[in-house]
Amino acid sequence: MLFTGTKSYVATPDLMTAVNAAIALKRPLLVKGEPGTGKTVLAREVAASLGRPLIEWHVKSTTKAQHGLYEYDAVARLRDGQLGDERVRDIRNYISRGKLWEVFAAEETCVLLIDEIDKADIEFPNDLLLELDRMEFHVYETRETVKAKNRPIVFITSNNEKELPDAFLRRCFFHYIRFPDKETMERIIDVHFPDIKKALVREALTVFYELREVPGLKKKPSTSELLDWLKLLMVEDLPPDALKAKDAKSLIPPLHGALLKNEQDVHLFERLAFLARRESRGD
Amino acid sequence: MFTDFFLKLRDAKVPVTLKEHLTLIEGLKAGVCDWSVESFYYLSRATLVKDEAHLDKFDRVFGEVFKGIESLSPEALLAAIPEEWLKKLTERFLTEEEKRQIQSLGGWEKLMETLRERLAEQKGRHQGGSKWIGTAGTSPFGAYGYNPEGIRIGQDQNRNNRAVKVWDKREFRNFDDKVELGTRNIKVALRKLRRFAREGAASELDLPDTIRSTAHNAGWLDVKMVPERHNAVKVLLFLDVGGSMDEHIKVCEELFSAVKSEFKHLEYFYFHNCPYEAMWKDNRRRWSEKTPTLQILRTYGPDYRAVFVGDATMSPYEIVQPGGSVEHFNEEAGQVWLQRVTEHFRRLIWLNPVEERRWNWTQSVKMIERLVGQRMFPLTLDGLDRGIRALSR
């Protein structure tokens, strides 16, 4: 079981090493990086390339670690008790399995994605320490211990909104997805749009990286935004020349809405473009 | 194994633990990486570093510890490997057909000799940065899979160089949290402060409402939840103005004001160099409108968290001597006032814009640090983090 990237996902050697280490030693892999660099997609691609089922657990600000294990619906049981329902005698009727239980109960090795772990409360990772370490947990209501039949491959993504506790980090492998350089980016585009004109890609990438260099942008466009933008460019069937803005007539790239998601950023860019135009006129 | 590396990492303040080191060795044993330096670099990075803030330090240590490796010449490498061992390994890894091919080339000795020659020959060319044995595919050495695990003599060189570049590039320098606060990392700092301001879970049972609605429901249970109240953190800022550090102090002031809405109360006062019997709220009217420090202590209870921001750099007389202040005659020494403040506010920190390693050079910094109970932190992301942790305790 070795992960070497897939047809639709370009993995750099450092990422591959980290993923394979996590798979071989059956430890969670914590993935961080700028938004839109393919953290979440990684788990999907690994699952697809290894032919394993993927179970996704999307974490929200209200998510508790317990939600991933199981939930005991005491209120429903109380209601049933009031109604005199027969179901009430068996507590198991009121325990609903969480994502981790699903993964632990699976007959084959699963890929588990815990997405955006930093969104949850600061204690969340701590509450999952034992579960992820030993891959088992105890259900107090039924006094049974749920143990993973096969240790799953766990991917955890974080956007850095909260710091994760040391004890948690010590149990993970860590990888920071850096923003891809131009060469890797060309490979990524190639994988997604094999029939795109080479000239268009070159021009688009130049525009894209120049845009990322603009100081003071609130949200720098990332890989996923570049791919969206290229899709638009392809649909519009723009010639590569349309992107050559060096003549300072049209400094704002066409369809920039896909790249700049923030009104202030668009304004800033327009202002810079205006300044550049004035300068070039002065020449 | 790699103990030096581990210890050096710890010396460089990369927080690695024994468990992680053992994981690394376990990974090596499981054969996660092949035997190139580059892949070892990636594996050890994924195992030992858990925060992008430490990646740069890791890169530096790695470069230092494994510096000799990429300069090891293939000849030296070959000389260092006993021939017997090579022979045995090859026998184990080569198929019958390949062994026959070796024979046809004149046997093992001949092969070794050719290899040596080839290596010597290629050394010159390699300086120019061209291909190495085994990669072209035409050389017998490459074709024979002369890279049984462990002695990958060939491509290694090239890969090495590439890997060295990876850590020598130090691409993660920007993530280091030891740099001072500026516009670039202010966002992260804000996030940290926000975390400080708001802690706790999202919802709790609203008991009165549950009882009321259950009764309203003729006895059928109706559970009501309410969002938990936000943590009511109250902050008192004391800012040192009128010195060389004004710019940093402004950054800090802006920082706290930006998260003002998150705190229940945020008040700030200014002082110069060291707190004395009075402070002021408006720098333009600092001489006419002063607030006595005692009044501040009376007004703001010990539940306030006090944050001092200042370089703590002054003449020691300004701290220990009555009348030591450079601006006015103070009847009681600065340290008396500072002691009063620290006794009153249980949770107090002092943020210092001066680099931490330079604190030892100034006597007054050490004195102030002692007075605030060693709770002085540098005005960096890391310092802010530690400070906030000290405040939350």
Side-chain angles (χ1 to χ4, degrees):
Chain A
M1 278 207 307
L2 268 188
F3 176 70
T4 49
T6 62
K7 267 189 210 137
S8 52
Y9 193 85
V10 176
T12 47
D14 47 344
L15 179 61
M16 276 191 272
T17 311
V19 169
N20 287 325
I23 294 175
L25 300 188
K26 296 279 163 68
R27 296 242 166 83
L29 175 65
L30 171 67
V31 190
K32 278 200 211 168
E34 266 183 61
T37 39
K39 297 189 291 292
T40 308
V41 185
L42 174 69
R44 292 189 192 135
E45 296 295 334
V46 171
S49 83
L50 300 180
R52 302 279 173 196
L54 172 72
I55 292 177
E56 298 183 33
W57 181 14
H58 297 281
V59 175
K60 290 188 278 181
S61 66
T62 51
T63 310
K64 295 264 159 52
Q66 187 66 31
H67 296 169
L69 311 178
Y70 65 94
E71 279 175 276
Y72 171 46
D73 196 348
V75 176
R77 195 174 184 212
L78 192 58
R79 275 205 193 110
D80 282 357
Q82 286 180 321
L83 288 166
D85 198 313
E86 266 309 299
R87 263 163 52 91
V88 83
R89 300 201 182 280
D90 193 354
I91 198 165
R92 262 172 295 194
N93 288 328
Y94 302 95
I95 287 179
S96 53
R97 293 177 175 199
K99 298 280 183 196
L100 271 178
W101 194 332
E102 247 177 75
V103 171
F104 287 2
E107 289 300 328
E108 54 177 328
T109 308
C110 289
V111 177
L112 170 67
L113 167 68
I114 304 179
D115 204 15
E116 314 211 22
I117 194 165
D118 53 325
K119 295 279 178 294
D121 192 73
I122 192 142
E123 287 304 321
F124 179 86
N126 272 335
D127 295 345
L128 283 178
L129 282 183
L130 190 73
E131 283 75 10
L132 288 178
D133 211 23
R134 287 216 218 127
M135 297 287 176
E136 63 175 49
F137 61 87
H138 189 73
V139 185
Y140 295 99
E141 283 78 5
T142 57
R143 293 189 192 86
E144 61 175 320
T145 301
V146 178
K147 225 178 151 136
K149 289 184 180 151
N150 302 290
R151 269 184 92 93
I153 302 162
V154 184
F155 289 92
I156 300 166
T157 72
S158 163
N159 268 327
N160 242 356
E161 284 196 8
K162 289 195 190 81
E163 245 168 78
L164 301 171
D166 287 343
F168 178 79
L169 293 175
R170 234 169 278 142
R171 287 165 168 83
C172 306
F173 283 103
F174 171 72
H175 183 75
Y176 187 89
I177 300 191
R178 228 163 9 90
F179 196 81
D181 52 12
K182 223 167 170 172
E183 193 186 309
T184 318
M185 192 56 105
E186 267 174 35
R187 273 171 59 210
I188 293 175
I189 291 169
D190 207 39
V191 151
H192 284 269
F193 309 108
D195 48 348
I196 198 163
K197 284 167 260 172
K198 275 271 171 281
L200 182 65
V201 172
R202 206 171 307 125
E203 291 304 328
L205 274 182
T206 316
V207 173
F208 175 71
Y209 277 96
E210 272 171 15
L211 195 60
R212 270 183 67 86
E213 291 299 312
V214 171
L217 280 190
K218 282 205 158 197
K219 162 83 179 73
K220 285 183 184 174
S222 66
T223 317
S224 63
E225 270 125 25
L226 172 69
L227 293 179
D228 284 347
W229 184 50
L230 285 176
K231 209 185 284 168
L232 281 179
L233 290 178
M234 273 168 80
V235 172
E236 294 280 318
D237 206 20
L238 282 175
D241 291 350
L243 295 175
K244 274 192 188 149
K246 303 280 180 258
D247 58 349
K249 249 183 259 160
S250 53
L251 268 166
I252 298 188
L255 309 164
H256 61 267
L259 289 175
L260 297 170
K261 298 287 176 67
N262 189 305
E263 210 177 316
Q264 280 144 302
D265 283 353
V266 177
H267 279 315
L268 174 78
F269 194 71
E270 276 170 355
R271 216 163 50 233
L272 286 174
F274 174 74
L275 285 176
R277 207 170 312 165
R278 210 171 46 183
E279 256 168 42
S280 67
R281 205 174 290 157
D283 285 344
Chain B
M1 220 179 168
F2 303 118
T3 317
D4 272 353
F5 180 41
F6 176 70
L7 293 176
K8 282 236 171 72
L9 280 175
R10 284 196 68 93
D11 284 348
K13 296 274 181 288
V14 181
V16 283
T17 58
L18 194 61
K19 187 183 164 81
E20 284 154 324
H21 189 61
L22 291 176
T23 309
L24 172 65
I25 291 170
E26 195 186 335
L28 288 174
K29 208 174 145 210
V32 172
C33 64
D34 55 28
W35 296 89
S36 71
V37 183
E38 188 186 41
S39 121
F40 174 70
Y41 164 70
Y42 290 142
L43 177 70
S44 52
R45 199 178 73 187
T47 326
L48 301 174
V49 187
K50 299 299 160 66
D51 189 339
E52 63 271 23
H54 304 304
L55 283 173
D56 186 48
K57 273 178 268 172
F58 175 82
D59 280 0
R60 266 180 290 162
V61 175
F62 193 92
E64 190 191 315
V65 173
F66 296 99
K67 205 163 88 194
I69 285 203
E70 78 275 7
S71 59
L72 217 58
S73 80
E75 250 178 341
L77 207 68
L78 207 64
I81 303 167
E83 204 171 306
E84 283 304 304
W85 187 28
L86 268 181
K87 207 166 169 179
K88 273 209 186 100
L89 260 176
T90 326
E91 269 162 18
R92 229 178 53 219
F93 282 95
L94 294 186
T95 62
E96 281 305 310
E97 190 191 342
E98 281 165 336
K99 276 186 200 155
R100 267 201 300 284
Q101 265 174 305
I102 294 181
Q103 288 306 319
S104 73
L105 274 170
W108 177 255
E109 272 73 36
K110 183 84 172 52
L111 194 70
M112 286 299 288
E113 204 175 295
T114 328
L115 174 65
R116 282 220 183 82
E117 268 167 29
R118 195 68 57 91
L119 283 174
E121 201 175 285
Q122 284 212 339
K123 208 171 127 204
R125 257 196 286 153
H126 181 70
Q127 309 289 350
S130 62
K131 293 248 163 92
W132 196 238
I133 276 190
T135 50
T138 47
S139 138
F141 305 106
Y144 282 36
Y146 206 84
N147 303 342
E149 291 178 54
I151 352 172
R152 211 170 252 203
I153 313 162
Q155 317 126 297
D156 247 5
Q157 194 67 14
N158 261 335
R159 288 173 153 230
N160 261 343
N161 289 345
R162 212 169 72 222
V164 167
K165 246 190 257 147
V166 175
W167 56 81
D168 275 355
K169 265 192 253 165
R170 296 186 53 192
E171 280 157 326
F172 298 99
R173 192 181 308 184
N174 279 349
F175 298 119
D176 202 328
D177 56 3
K178 291 287 186 288
V179 292
E180 65 189 42
L181 285 183
T183 39
R184 189 177 49 73
N185 47 20
I186 205 157
K187 247 163 84 187
V188 189
L190 274 177
R191 242 184 254 153
K192 284 192 197 297
L193 278 181
R194 218 167 272 151
R195 194 188 83 197
F196 163 52
R198 192 198 307 167
E199 278 166 354
S203 65
E204 59 187 3
L205 179 70
D206 185 352
L207 199 58
D209 199 20
T210 304
I211 295 174
R212 201 180 46 78
S213 13
T214 306
H216 193 73
N217 244 356
W220 298 125
L221 192 69
D222 190 6
V223 174
K224 294 282 177 197
M225 307 293 276
V226 280
E228 202 172 84
R229 261 180 314 134
H230 277 183
N231 200 341
V233 173
K234 303 174 191 171
V235 175
L236 213 49
L237 266 183
F238 297 100
L239 304 157
D240 175 6
V241 285
S244 55
M245 291 290 149
D246 271 7
E247 208 165 293
H248 295 285
I249 283 156
K250 211 175 124 244
V251 167
C252 205
E253 199 180 345
E254 281 168 0
L255 194 70
F256 275 88
S257 322
V259 283
K260 194 176 175 178
S261 57
E262 308 269 348
F263 299 120
K264 193 173 176 200
H265 296 292
L266 175 70
E267 291 290 338
Y268 44 90
F269 290 95
Y270 297 102
F271 64 96
H272 185 65
N273 280 355
C274 186
Y276 297 109
E277 65 279 356
M279 299 188 206
W280 58 93
K281 292 205 80 152
D282 189 332
N283 275 318
R284 273 168 305 172
R285 282 172 288 175
R286 56 177 292 195
W287 299 112
S288 52
E289 288 179 23
K290 286 193 172 191
T291 317
T293 307
L294 279 177
Q295 188 187 323
I296 297 175
L297 295 185
R298 275 198 306 273
T299 315
Y300 304 100
D303 54 331
Y304 271 82
R305 284 143 213 240
V307 179
F308 279 86
V309 187
D311 58 2
T313 307
M314 60 197 106
S315 139
Y317 291 111
E318 293 177 60
I319 302 174
V320 292
Q321 204 69 35
S325 164
V326 285
E327 289 187 325
H328 70 297
F329 186 82
N330 53 311
E331 292 195 346
E332 284 178 287
Q335 62 176 359
V336 177
W337 283 106
L338 196 54
Q339 251 155 20
R340 274 186 199 137
V341 175
T342 36
E343 269 163 30
H344 181 72
F345 296 108
R346 196 172 63 79
R347 285 177 283 210
L348 173 143
I349 56 166
W350 186 298
L351 293 173
N352 195 336
V354 178
E355 270 179 86
E356 199 169 1
R357 58 182 178 85
R358 282 168 49 197
W359 292 358
N360 279 332
W361 303 355
T362 321
Q363 196 188 351
S364 61
V365 176
K366 290 297 271 186
M367 290 165 74
I368 296 268
E369 193 181 10
R370 190 174 44 77
L371 280 169
V372 297
Q374 304 301 322
R375 285 170 293 180
M376 185 182 276
F377 302 96
L379 192 54
T380 61
L381 275 188
D382 175 58
L384 205 58
D385 205 34
R386 283 187 282 149
I388 284 166
R389 228 175 283 154
L391 275 183
S392 319
R393 271 200 283 270

